[in-house]
């Protein structure tokens, strides 16, 4: 299941890049004064975008298999975010380049990418990971203590609050693993240049 779910993700990114480049090049070389050429370009371009969209749906389905069998990780959240970004850019391409508004495409990509990155940070992916896996644990599925203990301070408040939702033995194991991990981090944080806001907030949370 893991091999099936993992297979094809990077191929999808390559395919999306090829389609994007091919449509931009085709937009440069076709005769802009020939309405029949422009119409054919729009139709074929829309077909290509829809086909890539179908592959995107397949990739999301594969990621859902990962979630079903193995739970959520920050890498899987990032993979989902990349899929969303690809879908946004392809949709913007269809709304601009394929409609003869090429000049709006590049500025729009910059704005949409900035909004995507801002939203990705705002949702706190690690908090989402912990909350999802806590719900799975409540349903009797395995909770990976070693993995969760190594998450950053962004995940720590949710883990400490949610420990009571785990079995007593797993909750105790999680708290012990968190204390050991953060003790190691404190020993490595002798240089101010490696400090971060999540670490500071997490350290304060543990001191309470």
């Amino acid at each position: 299941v893991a091999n099936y779910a993992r297979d094809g993700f990077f191929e999808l990114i390559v395919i999306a890049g090829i389609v994007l480049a091919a449509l931009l090049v085709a937009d440069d070389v076709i005769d802009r004064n020939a309405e029949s050429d422009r119409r054919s370009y729009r139709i074929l371009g829309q077909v290509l975008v829809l086909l890539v969209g179908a592959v995107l749906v397949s990739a999301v389905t594969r990621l859902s298999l990962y979630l079903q069998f193995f739970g959520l990780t920050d890498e899987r959240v990032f993979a989902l975010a990349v899929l969303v970004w690809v879908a946004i850019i392809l949709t913007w391409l269809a709304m601009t380049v394929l409609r003869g508004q090429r000049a709006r495409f590049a500025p729009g990509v910059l704005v949409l990418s900035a909004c995507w990155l801002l939203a990705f940070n705002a949702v706190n992916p690690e908090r989402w990971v912990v909350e999802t896996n806590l719900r799975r644990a409540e349903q009797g599925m395995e909770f990976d203590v070693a993995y969760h203990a190594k998450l950053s301070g962004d995940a720590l408040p949710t883990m400490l609050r949610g420990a009571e939702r785990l079995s007593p033995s797993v909750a105790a194991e999680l708290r012990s693993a968190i204390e050991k991990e953060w003790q190691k981090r404190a020993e490595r944080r002798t240089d101010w240049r490696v400090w971060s806001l999540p670490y500071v907030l997490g350290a304060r949370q543990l001191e309470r």
Side-chain angles (χ1 to χ4, degrees):
V1 173
N3 289 334
Y4 172 78
R6 188 185 305 112
D7 186 42
F9 177 78
F10 294 104
E11 289 88 341
L12 166 66
I13 304 302
V14 172
I15 289 171
I18 292 173
V19 170
L20 178 63
L23 290 174
L24 292 176
V25 171
D27 183 64
D28 285 334
V29 300
I30 63 173
D31 186 358
R32 298 180 183 276
N33 296 321
E35 181 59 30
S36 61
D37 291 350
R38 297 295 304 176
R39 188 184 304 108
S40 298
Y41 170 74
R42 286 195 298 268
I43 294 173
L44 293 175
Q46 290 168 356
V47 170
L48 281 174
V49 170
L50 288 174
L51 290 174
V52 176
V55 180
L56 281 172
V57 172
S58 173
V60 171
T61 302
R62 290 168 184 254
L63 277 177
S64 69
L65 285 176
Y66 252 130
L67 175 59
Q68 178 182 350
F69 283 89
F70 308 108
L72 197 60
T73 64
D74 50 351
E75 291 88 357
R76 290 161 199 167
V77 173
F78 182 74
L80 178 60
V82 170
L83 293 176
V84 171
W85 179 79
V86 171
I88 291 172
I89 299 306
L90 287 175
T91 302
W92 182 242
L93 174 77
M95 295 173 61
T96 54
V97 177
L98 297 184
R99 298 177 63 184
Q101 302 175 13
R102 173 72 175 269
R104 298 175 57 192
F105 178 69
V109 168
L110 292 177
V111 172
L112 291 171
S113 297
C115 293
W116 167 81
L117 188 59
L118 180 63
F120 182 69
N121 283 273
V123 299
N124 190 351
E126 291 192 347
R127 180 193 61 78
W128 186 19
V129 167
V130 174
E131 189 62 39
T132 300
N133 291 335
L134 284 173
R135 286 196 297 269
R136 296 181 76 253
E138 289 179 312
Q139 298 171 4
M141 300 180 186
E142 183 180 0
F143 187 85
D144 191 341
V145 170
Y147 166 77
H148 289 86
K150 294 182 180 299
L151 294 176
S152 75
D154 290 333
L156 192 58
T158 306
M159 278 194 294
L160 294 178
R161 288 195 307 268
E164 61 185 20
R165 297 159 59 183
L166 301 170
S167 65
S169 60
V170 176
E173 182 183 356
L174 177 62
R175 292 191 183 96
S176 176
I178 290 175
E179 291 176 359
K180 292 179 181 178
E181 176 64 27
W182 280 77
Q183 184 177 2
K184 293 178 183 178
R185 294 180 186 182
E187 294 172 355
R188 296 195 298 263
R189 299 273 173 166
T190 56
D191 191 337
W192 64 270
R193 291 172 295 182
V194 299
W195 281 62
S196 65
L197 181 59
Y199 172 78
V200 172
L201 296 177
R204 291 179 179 176
Q205 188 81 15
L206 285 175
E207 291 173 357
R208 295 176 181 176

